[in-house]
Amino acid sequence: MKLVSAIIKPFKLDDVREAIASVGIEGMTVTEVKGFGRQKGHTELYRGAEYQVDFLPKVKLEIATKAENVEMLVEAITGAARTGKIGDGKIFVTNLEQATRIRTGELDNEAL
């Protein structure tokens, strides 16, 4: 089992959700987050005054899936989230040691 975590631009969330559903992945957790990478924030103008925005709004997706689905899932997220501009985000894949469905007690792949 793997845990796929993706940091994307907020306006791409619906596109990514549709892409994930189209490849047969069910369920994900979405969290609104703030951060920066190479983009390092930007300058905005508010009532005539410039100010620096250091942390940019992003959306973090977490999807637990079977190991054989990872490549297909990463391709779906990448295709739907890409704008070609700086700040498109990142995808991280980590090993998932155990998953338990609380309602039934099912473990691992059956719990997904």
Side-chain angles (χ1 to χ4, degrees), residues 15 46 53 71 81 84 91:
D15 295 340
Y46 179 71
V53 177
E71 188 176 333
I91 300 173

Side-chain angles (χ1 to χ4, degrees), residues 87-102:
D88 276 351
K90 294 234 179 354
I91 300 173
F92 305 99
V93 179
T94 56
N95 288 321
L96 188 58
E97 301 232 354
Q98 181 179 343
T100 304
R101 178 172 285 140
I102 295 173

Side-chain angles (χ1 to χ4, degrees), residues 26-48:
E26 296 177 352
M28 70 174 155
T29 300
V30 178
T31 310
E32 291 181 8
V33 296
K34 291 184 179 189
F36 70 92
R38 290 184 184 162
Q39 205 171 0
K40 295 195 174 89
H42 64 278
T43 304
E44 287 191 2
L45 200 61
Y46 179 71
R47 294 189 178 181

Side-chain angles (χ1 to χ4, degrees), residues 20 24-28 63-64 112:
I20 289 171
I25 303 294
E26 296 177 352
M28 70 174 155
I63 305 150
L112 301 179

Side-chain angles (χ1 to χ4, degrees), residues 5-7 13-14 18 24 36 39 49 51 80 95 100 104:
S5 300
I7 310 293
L13 178 59
D14 286 336
E18 289 172 9
F36 70 92
Q39 205 171 0
Y51 66 98
N95 288 321
T100 304
T104 62

